[in-house]
Amino acid sequence: MIRSFPAPKFDAAPAQGGAGEFGALPDWDLSDLYTAPDAPEFLHDMAWLEAACASFAKDYEGQLADLDAAGMADCIARHEAIETVAGRIMSYAGLRYYQNTTDAERAKFMSDAGDKITSFTTPLVFFSLEFNRIDDARYEAVFADPLVARFKPVFDRMRAMKPYQLSDELEKFLHDQSVVGASAWNRLFDETTAALQFTVQGETLNLEATTTLMSDHDRGKREAAARELARVFGQNVKLFARVHNTLAKEKEVEDRWRKMPTPQLGRHLSNHVEPEVVEALRNAVVAAYPRLSHRYYALKAKWLGLEKLQVWDRNAPLPSETPRKILWDEAKATVLGAYGAFSPRMAEIAQPFFDKGWIDAGVKPGKAPGAFAHPTVTTVHPYVMLNYLGKPRDVMTLAHELGHGVHQVLAAKQGPMLSDTPLTLAETASVFGEMLTFRALLDAAKTPAERKQLLAGKVEDMINTVVRQIAFYDFECKLHAARAQGELTPEDINALWMSVQAESLGPVFEFMPGYETFWTYIPHFVHSPFYVYAYAFGDGLVNALYATYAAGLPDFQTKYFEMLEAGGSKHHKDLLAPFGLDASDPAFWDKGLSMIAGLIDELEAMEA
């Protein structure tokens, strides 16, 4: 149950630029974790962890089934202490690394720390295995005691893996082998994508800079960027195909040994969500493609004066949109203002991120792409990473990641075991933060043109979050199913990618030669298989939540904060019940999708 450092995720596609033109951009102050790689506190914690793991195994291996509630409480407290120190070490190593993934010293430091912690924690593998062998009646009796009752949800989730558990020896082998398995391939992917270089109109750029040009006002520049992305991805497609083949095969082997019926089940179990709920979400979104993405992109083609859209037009700004760069202080004021209008408490929780070095915002050589919020450990605080370039979408990314940060701060009171929120619910606060910011900007719009621009931007973000991510999910499902039948060539994977693109984007699109390789740079497929449906889950959930807020549900703010404070201590049914919502109801997803359709309705009405 020891948590590793989560890989960053693309919540946005920022670009490269100088920090000075956006004002003073904040950098991380990691001293709340450790002051330096060789700090006495770091060395002390590493030594303590080795001894604590060995002591824990000596005291509890073979004894869990005999513990009474008091003994179980002591056992849990010691396990949480170990988890906290291990998490602190790996958070520090990981955050340093993602500040500059091309720095060999940082990469070595993170790798060495991970190797040591893997070695130290190998004796702890028994914990979940032996725990799952406790007799059901004994388990229920012990966890009925108030001393440990609050921990039952996390152990219920752990026991859901009971049917898929391997022998103790095999589980220990998989634990030890992980550092040269998936994590090694993850690092290869990260370092490869960070080092890619692209030449667009004579300028050499990194991946983030080039993908950001896909939303430039100059159509010629967008096309040049798209074609250069295709060229470089094509040059590297064999390496990326090897990464995907290896990881998918590794997963298939482990799933087969565990007797997992589907490749997706492990993710569903970790998300504490029923497969039928995910299937209902997926089916609702696919059925809605014509009234969402197909309809919106046909409207966009009309705005752009085009019969067909190319891939470089998908995120193009509207012709009426005036380019402007948003300074950091304005972005900060916008998001904090929106948060504060919802609840002063929300703005108060977010404020220290700006004041205390909890955000790293500037684009720097070697820095990891995209944006993420990492909770570190419950005794410290989260850290947010951005690549800020002053675009309106960057403001929404700030709102998104701060939402994660607020959620993580509130959930920390649950402690190490219960603070982690399943991915399906982890996106709730982030997407809600975006929605608050969007609504604040929409209310402040001074002209119809400004309102249209905001609506179009939000619809595109929602389509990227819902339609695009479900298409990604379908691609992954097809990829893993095909890999189970044999090795996949780059052309095989390209074909799977293209099979979901036309269906999701609609008939108005044409696809340039080379677009078939654009699966190569998506990190979710590598770091977190089947993660992507969590975005669509979160967006649909937030749309339904926001509708109840807008309808004036009494005490909404109180209920909302209670939901975030619950962390991973409750099932999604219990969390949503105070709002009168139920994600297991197929009609639930149509409510969220209808909100997107309603925004498109308003855009169409503007054309009448």
Side-chain angles (χ1 to χ4, degrees):
M1 294 178 66
I2 299 299
R3 292 179 295 172
S4 61
F5 184 87
K9 52 190 172 59
F10 277 103
D11 282 330
Q16 188 160 319
E21 61 182 310
F22 309 114
L25 297 179
D27 296 314
W28 277 334
D29 176 2
L30 299 180
S31 62
D32 287 344
L33 293 167
Y34 297 102
T35 55
D38 58 353
E41 296 82 3
F42 181 87
L43 302 175
H44 170 273
D45 281 359
M46 193 68 88
W48 179 90
L49 185 65
E50 182 176 19
C53 289
S55 175
F56 184 92
K58 179 176 179 292
D59 292 344
Y60 291 111
E61 190 165 11
Q63 308 298 318
L64 293 184
D66 298 323
L67 294 177
D68 60 12
M72 186 65 73
D74 289 340
C75 175
I76 290 172
R78 287 176 63 179
H79 194 285
E80 286 199 311
I82 289 171
E83 189 172 354
T84 296
V85 173
R88 190 183 194 113
I89 289 169
M90 288 312 299
S91 291
Y92 178 69
L95 292 170
R96 281 187 80 244
Y97 171 71
Y98 284 113
Q99 281 182 303
N100 187 352
T101 62
T102 58
D103 184 326
E105 182 276 326
R106 294 180 187 228
K108 173 178 166 55
F109 179 76
M110 185 178 75
S111 179
D112 288 349
D115 288 350
K116 288 180 180 178
I117 287 181
T118 298
S119 175
F120 297 165
T121 56
T122 295
L124 271 60
V125 171
F126 84 90
F127 184 77
S128 60
L129 306 177
E130 190 175 317
F131 204 98
N132 284 351
R133 288 197 291 267
I134 296 174
D135 175 79
D136 287 347
R138 173 72 177 172
Y139 169 72
E140 294 293 339
V142 170
F143 279 86
D145 192 295
L147 281 172
V148 291
R150 77 181 198 88
F151 293 101
K152 191 171 185 293
V154 74
F155 289 114
D156 284 348
R157 287 199 291 274
M158 189 168 75
R159 284 169 73 87
M161 280 295 294
K162 186 176 180 178
Y164 314 108
Q165 193 168 287
L166 301 175
S167 69
D168 292 13
E169 187 176 22
L170 272 175
E171 293 287 1
K172 287 179 180 178
F173 168 76
L174 289 174
H175 180 82
D176 280 351
Q177 188 263 351
S178 64
V179 295
V180 292
S183 63
W185 290 95
N186 287 180
R187 269 189 60 192
L188 174 63
F189 175 86
D190 288 340
E191 291 168 5
T192 301
T193 53
L196 291 178
Q197 291 191 325
F198 305 82
T199 303
V200 181
Q201 297 183 347
E203 187 177 3
T204 300
L205 305 168
N206 64 8
L207 175 61
E208 292 68 58
T210 312
T211 54
T212 294
L213 288 179
M214 295 276 278
S215 59
D216 196 90
H217 278 75
D218 183 340
R219 191 169 191 245
K221 188 173 287 189
R222 296 199 306 269
E223 179 179 355
R227 295 194 183 281
E228 178 65 358
L229 287 166
R231 183 187 70 81
V232 175
F233 293 159
Q235 287 181 340
N236 292 274
V237 71
K238 288 184 179 179
L239 186 151
F240 287 116
R242 172 58 47 222
V243 171
H244 283 68
N245 266 290
T246 304
L247 288 173
K249 182 62 178 179
E250 182 186 59
K251 188 176 190 314
E252 185 272 328
V253 170
E254 184 171 334
D255 284 351
R256 176 159 36 87
W257 276 78
R258 293 190 184 281
K259 296 182 171 57
M260 288 268 187
T262 68
Q264 300 86 355
L265 182 62
R267 176 64 63 200
H268 300 337
L269 290 173
S270 68
N271 283 342
H272 205 203
V273 63
E274 299 76 14
E276 57 269 23
V277 172
V278 178
E279 187 67 11
L281 164 64
R282 182 264 172 199
N283 291 342
V285 173
V286 172
Y289 284 169
R291 62 190 175 97
L292 299 182
S293 49
H294 296 188
R295 186 163 62 113
Y296 173 75
Y297 287 127
L299 189 59
K300 186 165 189 176
K302 180 180 175 182
W303 293 336
L304 296 175
L306 301 169
E307 290 188 11
K308 289 284 187 179
L309 292 180
Q310 303 294 333
V311 294
W312 55 82
D313 297 317
R314 185 171 61 84
N315 288 323
L318 303 189
S320 59
E321 187 175 329
T322 303
R324 82 177 185 97
K325 292 181 178 177
I326 301 167
L327 298 181
W328 177 252
D329 283 347
E330 182 184 347
K332 171 183 171 182
T334 298
V335 175
L336 287 179
Y339 278 22
F342 172 72
S343 168
R345 183 185 178 195
M346 194 168 181
E348 288 167 8
I349 296 170
Q351 186 69 49
F353 283 83
F354 296 95
D355 299 339
K356 296 185 177 182
W358 300 359
I359 299 177
D360 196 296
V363 177
K364 305 158 195 172
K367 185 176 175 181
F372 64 83
H374 177 51
T376 70
V377 290
T378 57
T379 54
V380 186
H381 55 76
Y383 283 91
V384 163
M385 193 192 83
L386 307 171
N387 282 272
Y388 187 81
L389 285 152
K391 293 181 177 293
R393 279 196 171 96
D394 293 340
V395 179
M396 289 299 176
T397 300
L398 173 60
H400 182 104
E401 299 307 337
L402 271 183
H404 279 307
V406 168
H407 193 176
Q408 291 158 0
V409 168
L410 289 167
K413 66 170 62 176
Q414 296 289 344
M417 283 192 177
L418 287 166
S419 61
D420 273 355
T421 306
L423 292 179
T424 43
L425 297 169
E427 293 301 326
T428 303
S430 54
V431 179
F432 196 82
E434 278 191 80
M435 181 64 80
L436 291 174
T437 304
F438 163 69
R439 292 292 178 180
L441 291 172
L442 194 65
D443 290 343
K446 296 180 177 62
T447 65
E450 187 178 350
R451 184 176 182 86
K452 177 180 176 180
Q453 177 184 326
L454 287 166
L455 285 169
K458 184 59 178 174
V459 168
E460 290 194 11
D461 287 344
M462 287 174 145
I463 287 174
N464 285 335
T465 302
V466 177
V467 170
R468 186 165 165 80
Q469 300 301 329
I470 289 299
F472 282 178
Y473 178 67
D474 278 355
F475 167 72
E476 281 192 277
C477 292
K478 291 183 176 186
L479 175 77
H480 285 262
R483 182 63 182 92
Q485 303 305 311
E487 178 89 4
L488 301 175
T489 66
E491 291 73 23
D492 291 334
I493 304 177
N494 291 348
L496 295 175
W497 172 256
M498 293 307 297
S499 74
V500 303
Q501 293 302 304
E503 179 189 21
S504 62
L505 295 177
V508 77
F509 271 92
E510 287 181 343
F511 298 99
M512 68 173 185
Y515 181 67
E516 65 274 9
T517 64
F518 273 47
W519 55 269
T520 54
Y521 79 101
I522 310 297
H524 305 77
F525 305 152
V526 173
H527 291 300
S528 306
F530 306 108
Y531 177 102
V532 289
Y533 74 74
Y535 288 112
F537 194 111
D539 194 272
L541 191 156
V542 165
N543 289 343
L545 265 181
Y546 194 87
T548 65
Y549 168 56
L553 180 73
D555 298 321
F556 182 92
Q557 283 87 339
T558 300
K559 294 173 181 177
Y560 180 74
F561 284 120
E562 287 174 351
M563 179 177 69
L564 300 190
E565 287 170 344
S569 67
K570 293 182 179 180
H571 188 267
H572 61 78
K573 273 183 173 289
D574 299 321
L575 286 172
L576 294 177
F579 304 95
L581 301 172
D582 182 0
S584 64
D585 179 358
F588 171 85
W589 301 112
D590 286 328
K591 292 178 184 176
L593 297 173
S594 293
M595 178 178 282
I596 306 175
L599 297 180
I600 300 173
D601 289 343
E602 185 173 346
L603 286 168
E604 285 184 333
M606 288 180 171
E607 300 301 304

